[in-house]
Amino acid sequence: MEFRPILSAMLRNKTGVFLVGLQIALTLAVVANAVFIIMQRVEKIGRPPGIDSANLIFAQSYGFGPNYDHRDTVRRDVDMLRAIPGVVAVTALNGIPMSGGGRQSGYTIEPPTPQPNPTTSNIYFVDEHGVDALGVKLIEGRAFTEAEIQYNENPTNSDFAPSVIITQAVAQQMFGDGPALGKPIYDNLGQSAIVIGVIENMLGAWVGFDQPSNVMLQPRLSNGPTIRYAIRTEPGRRDQLVPEVEKKLAESNLNRAVTWVRPHTYWVERSYRADSRMVAFLSVIVSLMVLVTALGIVGLASFHVSVRTKQIGTRRAVGARRIDIIRYFMIENWLLTTGGVALGLVLAFAFGHWLSSTYSLPRLEPLYPVAGVVLLWILGQIAVFVPARRAAAIPPAIATRTV
C-alpha cells in the first residue's frame, strides 16, 4: 500500500491531525519522565533497610523526679523486656533508623589537620546487644562486649568511643577495597576509635540522604532522662507485643512516663510518605494522559470514517476487502503516531534535561522514551481498531446511495 494517498487524505484535515499528533508528543514527553520518576521513587521505597524492620518495636520513656535513677532504670528495663516471651533481643539506643531525626558527624582515616572531605556517618549509641536487637548482618568482626559500653554521664561529653562498628558503605568510602577491620578512624577532634565490626547494610535516619547507608554504631548509652529501646521480636509477634511492652514499661517505674511504643513500620511509612504520594499522583497523571490520548485517536479515526463513508463504499465496490480498509486506517494511524512520537522524543529529553538541571534529578534514561514510543504505537493501533472495523463494515452499495 502506498503512503502518498494516505498522507494526502490526512492533510485534508490538518487541524485534527496536528492536534492529535501534538497530544501524542506531549503524552510521550510527560509520561516518559513521569514513569522515570515513579520508578526512582519505587526503587527508593523498596530499598532493604538492613535491619529487621518487620519485627522491631521502638519505645521511648522520660524520667522525672528526684528519685529517678537513669542507669538503674535502663538496666531494669532491659532485663524486664528481654524476659517477655517472644522478645529476641533488646538494646537501649539514642535514635531510630529511618525516622527523619538523628545524629551525624564526619570521620577520616587520619588525624584531622583538618582533612578534606570527611566521611559523614549517622551515629547510633547501642549496648552490647545492639547488633542482635537491630537485626543487622555482621559480615566482619564482632559485636560490642559489655566491658566496652560507655555511660555518657556528662551531656556535653564529646569523647570518641574506643571501638566502633561501621556499615560496608562507610568502610568502602574510607578504606576503598582495603580491609577496614582493626583500622583506626578519627573524629573531627582528632580522637581515634578502632573498627571492630562491619555491617553489610543499614539505612540511617534520613531516607533522602545522599548516602543513607553511612551508619556507625558506638558502644555508649546516653545520660537521660530520655531513653529509647529497640525491641526485636520473634517473626509475627510484633503487633501482639506492642501493648504488652507499653504496659510493662508503664508499670515498672512510676518515676518516668512512657512517651510512645510503636512498630518500626510507623517511621518507615512516615519517612516514605512523600515518595508514596508522588508515585500515586504521577500514576494518576500518566493514566489520565494515556486515556485522553487514546480517546483523541479514537475520535479522530471515527471522524475520518464518518467523512469518508462514500469513499470507503466506492473502494469496497471496486474490490477492496474488509482487511484492506482496516489496514488503511491502521497505517494512517501509525503514520500519525510516528509523527507525534518523533516530536515527543525531542520534548521528552528536553523536559528531562530541564528537570535534571532545575531539581538536581538524574538524567532521563533513553529506555523510558523508547518504551513510551512502543507503548504509544501499540496504543494507537488498539485505539483505531474499532473505528477501522466500523469502516470495513460499510457496504459497497453506499457508493451509489446519493447518485
Side-chain angles (χ1 to χ4, degrees), residues 158-180:
S158 59
D159 291 343
F160 199 12
S163 56
V164 295
I165 298 173
I166 59 177
T167 56
Q168 198 170 24
V170 174
Q172 179 67 33
Q173 290 176 43
M174 299 191 76
F175 301 99
D177 295 329

Side-chain angles (χ1 to χ4, degrees), residues 116-139:
N117 302 321
T119 300
T120 301
S121 297
N122 192 191
I123 307 165
Y124 289 97
F125 297 157
V126 297
D127 63 19
E128 66 274 18
H129 297 276
V131 169
D132 289 336
L134 292 172
V136 294
K137 183 178 180 181
L138 196 64
I139 58 175

Side-chain angles (χ1 to χ4, degrees), residues 170-210:
V170 174
Q172 179 67 33
Q173 290 176 43
M174 299 191 76
F175 301 99
D177 295 329
L181 208 63
K183 298 293 183 63
I185 61 174
Y186 298 85
D187 64 10
N188 54 14
L189 297 177
Q191 303 173 115
S192 66
I194 300 299
V195 177
I196 65 165
V198 178
I199 299 169
E200 182 178 44
N201 176 46
M202 176 180 171
L203 294 184
W206 303 280
V207 297
F209 189 36
D210 291 340

Side-chain angles (χ1 to χ4, degrees), residues 76-84 87 90 229 231 245 249:
R76 291 176 179 273
D77 285 347
V78 168
D79 290 341
M80 179 265 296
L81 292 170
R82 288 171 183 158
I84 298 176
V87 170
V90 179
Y229 300 104
I231 305 143
V245 167
L249 285 174

Side-chain angles (χ1 to χ4, degrees), residues 334-372:
W334 181 82
L335 291 173
L336 172 63
T337 305
T338 299
V341 297
L343 175 60
L345 284 172
V346 176
L347 294 177
F349 284 109
F351 187 35
H353 177 74
W354 177 78
L355 287 173
S356 176
S357 59
T358 304
Y359 298 102
S360 300
L361 296 175
R363 290 290 181 91
L364 175 65
E365 296 179 6
L367 171 65
Y368 292 89
V370 171

